[in-house]
Amino acid sequence: MANPKPEELIRINHVPPKQAWMDTRPDFRPGMFCYASKAKSLEYVGMPNPRQWSVKDEDWHLPENWQEIFIEGLRERVDKYRSFRLFLDICVRCGACADKCHFYIGGGDPKNMPVLRAELLRSVYRKYCTTSGRIMGKIAGARELTIDVLKEIWYYAYQCTECRRCSLFCPYGIDTAEITILARELLNLLGLNIDWIAGPVANCYRTGNHLGLQPHTIKDSFDMFIDDLETITGIKVSPTFNRKGAEILVVIPSGSMFADPGTFTTMGELLLFHELGLDYTWSTFASEGGDFGFFTTNEMAKRLHSKIYAEAKRLKVKWILGGECGHMWRVWHQYHNTWFGPVDYLEEPVSPITGTRFENAKSNKTVHITEFTADLIKNGKLNLDPKRNDNLIVTYHDSCNTSRGMGLLEEPRFIINNVCNNFYEMPENTIREQTFCCGSGSGLNASENMEQRLRGGLPRANAVRHVHKKYGVNMLACICAIDRAVLPPLMDYWVPGVAVTGVHEMVGNALIMKGERKRTTNLRGEPLPGMEGEEDV
Amino acid sequence: MGLLFSFFAVAILGVIAFVGVRSIHLHYFFGVIIPYLAFAVFIVGIAFRVLKWARVPVPFRIPTTAGQEKSFPWIKSSKIDNPFTSFGVIIRMALEVLVFRSLFRNTKMELRDGPQFTYGSTKWLWMAGLAFHWTFLVILTRHLRLFFEPVPFFVEILETLDGFFQVGAPVLYITDLIFLGAVTFLFLRRVIIPQVRYISLASDYFPLFLIGAIGTTGVLMRYFLKTDVVGIKELMMGLITFNPVIPAGIGTIFYIHLFLVSALFAYFPMSKLMHMAGVFMSPTRNLANNNRAALHANPWNYPVKAHTYEEYEEEFRDKMKSVGLPVEKE
Ligand code: HEM
Ligand code: SF4
Ligand code: SF4
């Protein structure tokens, strides 16, 4: 379907309708939702109720006792997650979170206000799990779980990117992302996933990565990188795969092995590791740092990521270095240690180049690549020529997960400031911990929901547009694979003339390597500044 | 609907007390039995709710990180908004509870020509919220003069400060003014801001009306209808020494006030007012962001079925060998 024009899309009405929200049903508009999960994806990982179904159909082919399953699941989870029960109990509906959600800002649908998104499920919780709700019903804000209510919960659970921006402003820290995560878990009890999540999950279970890249394909991809890098730098890098006894296992999101511009980030990393002489290995099995299981159920998330530690153990590495990816780092940082710890078969990470101990990662033994590189630069271990990035006027997009689920704010900025000369921040309330989502996180980066993505990404795009107009920004840097996949179309739509890069792509460009030939192009094969006539030397 | 329902519910509560005392003369019931019951429900109810939350485990460490993480000594970390230590967490919580730190961040989104979104800082809700809660606390504390003889020193100090301007007789307390103003503001924003009205339930209007009515009856008593304070103190001290007496000559307005307060106490544990206790237990605020440095155990962590390397190699061995990848089994 064709997308509306930007001039039309920007006409947003933020005033809610007269009719009470409990009395309005969702309108499943094409472009605003993702396709239903396929039977074979659910079957492959043994998720409940695999079948063919379609969102637009009246009948979603649910099990006979679907209400019972959902409510039992709800009761079970409010007894397992204090976060869940508390967040369902204490909201005062002050509305502070309302205009913080990019989907509400960009779309105006009142049920995308975080408080109301939560209230959709909270009303059901009141009905079945609280005394006042059971007795007083609607006046206490409680309602029956009907099929329409279920569909509504589905619709809005897949219009939340679990970005946690709302949680930052809530006086009690109510995290609607947490509510969405558990709502999706409940929906998955009934087989109500989306294809764009269920497919990658099944792939990841089988091949180790979301894209379903098999070992030889991964090898082929890297062979291409090696050739390209040799053309550009004159240096032949020689990465190893599944190598036992390496010091470090490197795990990156698979998107960066396969699709531009993520591949350029991987190429930058390859150059960096080569220049350092790092004793590291890739793994074709632990070939995915991201975790779409996290958008399915907690259990699925854990099932997919068991491989990373299993592989580290099998290969007898000392510690794990993780690449540029957003939700990957929310999971690695906030969940891994709890799922898999104590990981005492690994060692406390120490940079072999600088000797720095990564104290903040001493228990779960995973280091973020921007921490690793920032430390290298700080210790003067890299020979950098930022002028090679002089054609770029850069701004930086904090991905939601690394900022609000980790606090990784300065490391990437420090690197950027050392590898390029033109860096401008977007307006204050749109960056760092207040950063806006790309609009396509948490598995919503499909193509059939493009209008939803363009709306959700509007606040981010609008802030980029501001610095594009003001400073001529033409490059949006990020440390997230989903960003690198979804920001280019978002920019083309809202801010044409702005491209997207990973931070380590810029590192790769600026890095002066021992024995390299005079570089005339960047990693994309475009002429370096001042070299425009010399491409075909 | 929720608004009218709540308004009438509070009005009916007032009428019940009025009729009960004025016409049926149930002084003992409204002066002794109801307050005791309400207080018991309050204490037991809160304990029950808090224990219920406390029994639920915190499986994951999920603080909302609102600043730079602790990584290297040369990068300044945000010790409070993104605490790494328990001390940082305590300060963070203290700021949340005492000055509503998160609400202080509040912004207001506007879509201007350009098109350009702006997110200007807005402090109205934060200010009104603080004013409301702090004056509530001060007023509650001032009430202690009715329960103790001699009056505790901090109550006297509060009263002096509060009556600083020495306006009127009896002296006008500034907190009374601010309190009623803040409640009115919170109510008005609820009905005027379309989004807030849209999300509001009866359970949002009810406490505001109830608290507003308590404040109003209180102010009426103090400044206009002049009740017998000595008698009231006798009643109150009787209550807390479990030696209840009903002095004659206390005006009906006091019984209405007391009944509404009792209603608030009894309603507290089953309502959103439990945010008072809940805010302390919020896992996005009361945990340190040290996940990679210290293990957070999940009491119900259980083994899951994963795809093993052996299964993987079994499926792809030939392909792996064809491109020279090492394998475990030839
Ligand atoms: C630790 C103690 C408490 C903290 C940190 C706290 C914090 C807050 C915050 C941040 C808000 C949202 C902002 C606002 O609407 O003002 C709020 C709302 C509210 N609080 Fe509290 N509170 C506490 C105790 C209480 C108590 C004891 C009461 C009264 C019995 C109370 C009654 C209310 C009411 C009625 C609202 C809703 C106001 C509205 O409808 O807009 N709170 N509280
Ligand atoms: S900010 Fe928090 S308390 Fe206020 S409406 Fe949103 S979730 Fe509820
Ligand atoms: S987590 Fe993000 S997408 Fe979800 S409701 Fe909150 S602000 Fe919106």
Side-chain angles (χ1 to χ4, degrees), chain A residues 100-103 112-114 117 159-167 175-177 180:
Chain A
K100 307 304 180 283
C101 178
H102 49 282
F103 283 118
N112 273 327
M113 295 191 280
R117 191 191 310 289
Q159 289 197 48
C160 167
T161 47
E162 303 176 3
C163 77
R164 311 181 98 202
R165 192 168 191 270
C166 46
S167 140
D175 183 6
T176 305
T180 297

Side-chain angles (χ1 to χ4, degrees), chain A residues 64-97:
Chain A
E64 200 71 40
N65 59 340
W66 66 268
Q67 268 166 317
E68 199 183 313
I69 296 174
F70 190 95
I71 291 159
E72 270 318 305
L74 176 62
R75 291 198 177 122
E76 186 190 326
R77 278 159 189 79
V78 293
D79 282 336
K80 281 169 83 175
Y81 292 83
R82 187 182 299 166
S83 52
F84 197 32
R85 183 182 280 277
L86 197 80
F87 295 165
L88 290 175
D89 277 336
I90 63 170
C91 171
V92 300
R93 284 161 300 281
C94 68
C97 57

Side-chain angles (χ1 to χ4, degrees), chain B residues 43-81:
Chain B
I43 297 295
V44 174
I46 290 187
F48 182 78
R49 290 295 299 275
V50 169
L51 287 179
K52 195 158 176 178
W53 285 329
R55 268 209 313 271
V56 182
V58 180
F60 300 107
R61 183 175 281 272
I62 52 164
T64 309
T65 57
Q68 170 62 33
E69 67 164 359
K70 178 178 181 307
S71 50
F72 306 110
W74 52 274
I75 293 183
K76 194 168 173 303
S77 70
S78 178
K79 296 191 175 53
I80 296 172
D81 285 331

Side-chain angles (χ1 to χ4, degrees), chain A residues 93-94 164 167 172-173 206 214 244 298-299 302-303 314 333 363 371 403 407 410-411 429 462, chain B residues 60 62 64-65 68-69 71 117 119 189 204 282 284-285 289 291-292 302 305 315 319 328:
Chain A
R93 284 161 300 281
C94 68
R164 311 181 98 202
S167 140
Y172 320 116
R206 175 170 170 234
Q214 299 188 6
K244 285 190 180 171
N298 185 307
E299 178 175 306
K302 187 177 169 190
R303 286 175 68 189
R314 186 181 74 89
H333 180 69
S363 175
E371 293 172 334
S403 54
E410 291 304 333
E411 289 84 351
N429 291 323
N462 198 257
Chain B
F60 300 107
I62 52 164
T64 309
T65 57
Q68 170 62 33
E69 67 164 359
S71 50
F117 283 101
Y119 314 94
R189 76 177 277 281
D204 300 314
S282 178
T284 59
R285 293 292 185 273
N289 178 38
N291 303 44
R292 280 187 288 154
Y302 57 96
K305 185 176 172 338
E315 180 174 359
K319 288 170 172 166
E328 295 274 343

Side-chain angles (χ1 to χ4, degrees), chain A residues 153-283:
Chain A
I153 291 173
W154 183 89
Y155 189 57
Y156 291 100
Y158 291 99
Q159 289 197 48
C160 167
T161 47
E162 303 176 3
C163 77
R164 311 181 98 202
R165 192 168 191 270
C166 46
S167 140
L168 184 71
F169 295 89
C170 174
Y172 320 116
I174 293 176
D175 183 6
T176 305
E178 184 79 355
I179 294 177
T180 297
I181 288 170
L182 288 155
R184 288 190 184 181
E185 210 171 298
L186 294 173
L187 292 163
N188 269 285
L189 294 175
L190 305 174
L192 295 175
N193 205 339
I194 61 172
D195 184 38
W196 196 259
I197 294 175
V201 163
N203 279 340
C204 198
Y205 198 65
R206 175 170 170 234
T207 63
N209 60 77
H210 294 148
L211 299 179
L213 306 174
Q214 299 188 6
H216 57 296
T217 322
I218 293 179
K219 186 73 172 31
D220 287 349
S221 268
F222 275 82
D223 284 343
M224 268 162 48
F225 299 155
I226 294 170
D227 288 346
D228 288 351
L229 287 173
E230 189 171 9
T231 316
I232 297 164
T233 65
I235 289 175
K236 194 171 170 68
V237 300
S238 43
T240 57
F241 297 85
N242 307 357
R243 176 165 65 88
K244 285 190 180 171
E247 180 174 359
I248 298 168
L249 170 66
V250 175
V251 180
I252 62 171
S254 65
S256 302
M257 300 177 187
F258 203 69
D260 296 349
T263 45
F264 305 125
T265 297
T266 308
M267 287 160 71
E269 289 161 352
L270 281 166
L271 290 181
L272 175 69
F273 299 155
H274 178 88
E275 178 64 12
L276 297 171
L278 203 65
D279 177 17
Y280 80 104
T281 182
W282 304 91
S283 163

Side-chain angles (χ1 to χ4, degrees), chain A residues 208 248-254 256-257 269 273 280-290 305 307-309 311-312 315 317 319-325 328-329 332 336 366-369:
Chain A
I248 298 168
L249 170 66
V250 175
V251 180
I252 62 171
S254 65
S256 302
M257 300 177 187
E269 289 161 352
F273 299 155
Y280 80 104
T281 182
W282 304 91
S283 163
T284 58
F285 176 53
S287 47
E288 178 64 80
H305 269 201
K307 65 172 178 270
I308 296 174
Y309 287 88
E311 188 69 341
L315 298 177
V317 299
W319 54 276
I320 306 172
L321 181 60
E324 294 187 10
C325 177
M328 155 178 169
W329 272 97
W332 282 41
H336 268 190
T366 57
V367 175
H368 192 285
I369 190 156

